[in-house]
Amino acid sequence: MTRQRILITGASSGLGEGMAREFARRGRALGLAARRLDRLTELADELAPQAGQIAVTRLDVTDVDDVPRAFTELATELGGVDRVIVNAGLGKGAPIGTGHAAANIETAATNLIGALAQAEAAMEIFRAQGHGHLVLVSSISAVRGLPKAQAAYSASKAGVSALGQGLQAELAGSPITVSVILPGYIETDINRGVKTKLMTDTDSGVRAMVAAIEAEPRRAEVPAWPWKPIAAALRYLPDALSAKLV
């Protein structure tokens, strides 16, 4: 099945923008949401010659009461939605108990509570129309609790993965499918300043993301190499070694 009408959150930059560009290149109709409406409008104007149709709306996913409005608005403009990519996320963080609680709480609110609000809105649309593909963008950091500045981020993404697993169990055999995507280090603003030999350039990372999403797996680490074996190893390695991998 080709999912023609795709809604992407966090689409004004990073992986969200990259996925919008790649799906537009494939001629898909797009509903794009993000906090920066000016960036979305510029992107929509740029992609309009390629995409089947583009609708945009401003959305801060931490405003949970506004998420259903945004999703309904985009779905109405597109004439329905075949796939929702829950991508909006935040990478702020600090070691817990060092006086930066606000950054950690904001990260958890955006990545987990915001993702839950988006899943609620997407699933209402999918249940009403009887089909759909929900994509939850988690992270390799969800596989293992990470220390210091990454603790709140990894915890929030672990929650996203668990949400996807629960929906998969509930919806098994139904026309609604759920995929959990776990990116490793891909060169975007959220990873700016990270020094690692495991970083994937943006274009390659986006292509891996889109290829995984199009296959509609239950779970996919992207890029598969080296992140699939690293994810497997993270479950069993001692803390001292696992902290060096991510």
Side-chain angles (χ1 to χ4, degrees):
M1 178 185 297
T2 299
R3 307 286 185 178
Q4 291 290 351
R5 300 164 298 184
I6 302 173
L7 192 160
I8 306 172
T9 64
S12 63
S13 64
L15 292 177
E17 178 186 351
M19 288 188 287
R21 291 182 180 281
E22 181 62 20
F23 282 119
R25 188 184 66 78
R26 299 179 183 212
R28 309 297 174 81
L30 300 175
L32 306 179
R35 289 179 298 177
R36 293 173 288 187
L37 185 58
D38 57 336
R39 292 281 295 273
L40 283 181
T41 302
E42 291 175 6
L43 180 62
D45 290 342
E46 180 184 346
L47 299 182
Q50 295 177 290
Q53 179 185 357
I54 301 184
V56 301
T57 192
R58 184 189 180 282
L59 174 63
D60 180 343
V61 298
T62 62
D63 184 354
V64 295
D65 293 332
D66 195 41
V67 174
R69 185 277 310 164
F71 278 37
T72 300
E73 178 182 306
L74 293 175
T76 299
E77 289 194 46
L78 296 179
V81 174
D82 303 309
R83 172 183 288 148
V84 172
I85 303 177
V86 176
N87 170 73
L90 190 64
K92 287 184 179 180
I96 291 173
T98 60
H100 301 283
N104 289 326
I105 291 168
E106 185 181 1
T107 293
T110 301
N111 294 352
L112 181 52
I113 303 303
L116 176 57
Q118 292 170 77
E120 289 275 6
M123 286 299 302
E124 281 198 37
I125 293 171
F126 291 162
R127 291 183 193 276
Q129 67 188 19
H131 65 87
H133 180 208
L134 178 64
V135 180
L136 299 173
V137 178
S138 181
S139 169
I140 290 293
S141 68
V143 177
R144 176 84 171 254
L146 299 180
K148 299 182 179 179
Q150 297 189 77
Y153 180 81
S154 66
S156 68
K157 289 299 189 178
V160 172
S161 292
L163 176 62
Q165 291 165 357
L167 286 170
Q168 287 166 350
E170 175 186 346
L171 299 167
S174 83
I176 301 173
T177 60
V178 179
S179 297
V180 178
I181 306 297
L182 294 85
Y185 286 125
I186 298 173
E187 193 174 18
T188 60
D189 288 345
I190 201 171
N191 287 323
R192 190 178 302 280
V194 175
K195 298 184 184 301
T196 175
K197 295 180 179 179
L198 299 175
M199 187 72 70
T200 301
D201 67 270
T202 305
D203 290 343
S204 298
V206 166
R207 286 195 297 269
M209 289 277 290
V210 170
I213 289 168
E214 291 277 72
E216 303 195 12
R218 290 173 60 85
R219 169 192 168 108
E221 297 85 359
V222 294
W225 176 261
W227 294 107
K228 190 175 184 67
I230 287 176
L234 282 172
R235 296 187 181 93
Y236 305 106
L237 289 176
D239 288 344
L241 290 177
S242 67
K244 294 179 180 180
L245 288 177
V246 291

